[in-house]
Amino acid sequence: MSAQILDGLGLARQIRTSLQERTRALREAGVVPRLEVIVATQDPASVAYVRMKRKWCELAGLESGAFEVGPDTTQAQLLDQIRRLNEDPKVHGVLIQHPLPGHLDEHEALLTLGAEKDVDGITPQSLGRLVADLPGFRCATPLGIMTLLDRHGIPLQGRRALVIGRSVILGKPMALMLLQKHATVTIAHSRTQNLPDLCREADVVVAAVGRAAMVRGDWIKPGAVVVDAGYNRVEGRDTDVGDVHFESASQVASWITPVPGGVGPMTVASLLANTVEAAERAARA
Ligand code: NAP
C-alpha cells in the first residue's frame, strides 16, 4: 500500500476530547447539552447507529434521549413530538434518523424541525442556507469529510473533485461544500456515462453510492485523494464494506479513508460538535 490513511476514528476521538472541555464549561454555566434522536425501532441499522451516537454523547459529556417510532406511530404523533422538541429549551439538537417507517412522511417531519436544532443539517432550511452560503448547521457526514480533509492539509482550491452520489444528505451537500473551498466539482450518479474515465480525471474522489467495492484501483488517478463514505453490509463479513475497493485503490491514491474508521466516526463527531455549538448559542442567548 502506498497511500497514507485519513484516520477518521483518531481525529473523531480528538474532537470528542475537545468537546468534553466545552460541555464541562457549559455544565458549569448551568446548561446541559442535549441531543434527541427520532428513530425507527424496527430498523436494526438505525438502532445500531443511534446506540453508537448515544455512547459518543455520553463520552463527550452530552445527554441524549430517543423518541422511538414504530408501525403504530401516526404522522400527527411524530409532528407533535418534533414541535415539542422545537420548543423545549433543554433540548439543543434533534436528529431524525433516516429511514423512518414507510407510512410516515419524512419530508414533512424535516420541514417541521426548527433549523436552530437541526444539528444533522438536513432540513430544507439548513440545505438552503448551505446553497446560499449563509451560516447554519451543515450536514454531518459531508461536514465530517471536510474536517478530515482540512485537518490533513489536503488542498482543494482549483483541484478537480468527483462526488459519486447525489443524495440530499450526502452527495449534493458534499459537492457544495467542496465548491465552497474552490474545488472544480463534478457530481456522478446512476445515469452517468463512463464513470471510470471521469474518476481517472479527479484529484479528489468522494464515493457516496452504497455499492460495495465499486470504485476500483484502476479508476483512480495516481496520487489522488480517496474518501469512502459507503457502508455496505456484505454477507459473511462482520464489518461493513465501503464503496471503494480499498486493496487496489490504496496502491494508487496518496491518501485514503478506511472503512470502518474513516468517515463514520467523523459523522458522529460533527453531529456532536453541532449540538455543542447549539447549546453554546442557547447559553449566550
Ligand atoms: P442513496 O440515497 O441511496 O444515494 C446513492 C447515490 O448513488 C444516488 O445518487 C445514486 O444515483 C448513486 N448511484 C447508485 N448506483 C450508482 C452507480 N452504479 N454509479 C454511480 N452512481 C450510483 O445513498 P446515501 O444515503 O447517499 O448513502 C450512500 C452511501 O453512504 C451508503 O453506503 C450509506 O450507507 C453511506 N452513508 C454513510 C454515512 C456515514 O456516516 N459514513 C452516512 C450516510 C450514508 P441516482 O441518484 O441516480 O439514483
Side-chain angles (χ1 to χ4, degrees):
M1 185 178 94
S2 63
Q4 298 187 70
I5 294 292
L6 288 162
D7 177 13
L9 181 58
L11 179 55
R13 285 185 175 142
Q14 281 177 32
I15 292 171
R16 193 175 68 195
T17 303
S18 68
L19 291 177
Q20 284 169 348
E21 289 163 28
R22 288 165 64 187
T23 56
R24 205 174 300 127
L26 277 165
R27 282 168 182 263
E28 279 166 17
V31 176
V32 181
R34 186 172 179 86
L35 174 70
E36 288 285 341
V37 180
I38 294 171
V39 57
T41 43
Q42 69 271 52
D43 186 77
S46 292
V47 171
Y49 292 145
V50 165
R51 196 180 309 125
M52 196 246 292
K53 284 165 184 168
R54 294 185 70 170
K55 182 170 166 246
W56 275 61
C57 276
E58 206 177 297
L59 293 168
L62 288 89
E63 277 187 355
S64 64
F67 178 72
E68 297 181 343
V69 292
D72 300 332
T73 309
T74 64
Q75 184 72 7
Q77 285 169 332
L78 172 66
L79 298 186
D80 275 353
Q81 175 65 10
I82 295 172
R83 288 192 196 101
R84 260 197 297 277
L85 296 174
N86 281 342
E87 281 157 24
D88 186 344
K90 291 198 180 76
V91 173
H92 305 102
V94 178
L95 166 73
I96 300 175
Q97 180 73 47
H98 172 81
L100 294 181
H103 69 284
L104 295 172
D105 181 344
E106 213 167 301
H107 288 297
E108 199 184 12
L110 289 170
L111 281 165
T112 306
L113 178 60
E116 65 291 346
K117 296 197 180 180
D118 174 26
V119 288
D120 204 22
I122 57 166
T123 62
Q125 215 188 117
S126 300
L127 290 166
R129 289 184 154 267
L130 171 64
V131 174
D133 286 336
L134 289 169
F137 288 121
R138 300 304 189 224
C139 292
T141 303
L143 176 62
I145 293 172
M146 294 306 284
T147 307
L148 193 58
L149 295 175
D150 180 58
R151 296 283 185 94
H152 287 82
I154 306 291
L156 293 172
Q157 182 163 322
R159 312 302 295 280
R160 295 196 63 173
L162 174 70
V163 180
I164 315 177
R166 58 174 165 180
S167 72
V168 172
I169 60 149
L170 221 176
K172 277 186 204 166
M174 184 75 248
L176 286 165
M177 288 187 210
L178 289 164
L179 191 61
Q180 274 182 341
K181 292 292 176 188
H182 312 294
T184 302
V185 184
T186 303
I187 306 177
H189 47 79
S190 65
R191 326 282 161 88
T192 296
Q193 306 280 306
N194 300 326
L195 182 57
D197 284 344
L198 207 57
C199 202
R200 282 182 205 109
E201 292 173 7
D203 303 305
V204 178
V205 177
V206 179
V209 189
R211 287 176 181 258
M214 185 185 89
V215 178
R216 319 290 299 186
D218 61 356
W219 294 22
I220 305 296
K221 178 177 168 178
V225 175
V226 177
V227 176
D228 188 352
Y231 264 96
N232 307 291
R233 284 247 148 250
V234 173
E235 244 185 74
R237 288 191 60 149
D238 299 341
T239 53
D240 288 337
V241 174
D243 291 341
V244 175
H245 186 260
F246 183 87
E247 291 72 17
S248 59
S250 60
Q251 299 296 325
V252 192
S254 59
W255 291 93
I256 192 166
T257 56
V259 177
V263 174
M266 287 303 297
T267 299
V268 184
S270 301
L271 180 75
L272 267 51
N274 280 347
T275 308
V276 171
E277 196 184 315
E280 287 169 345
R281 276 187 212 165
R284 282 195 297 270

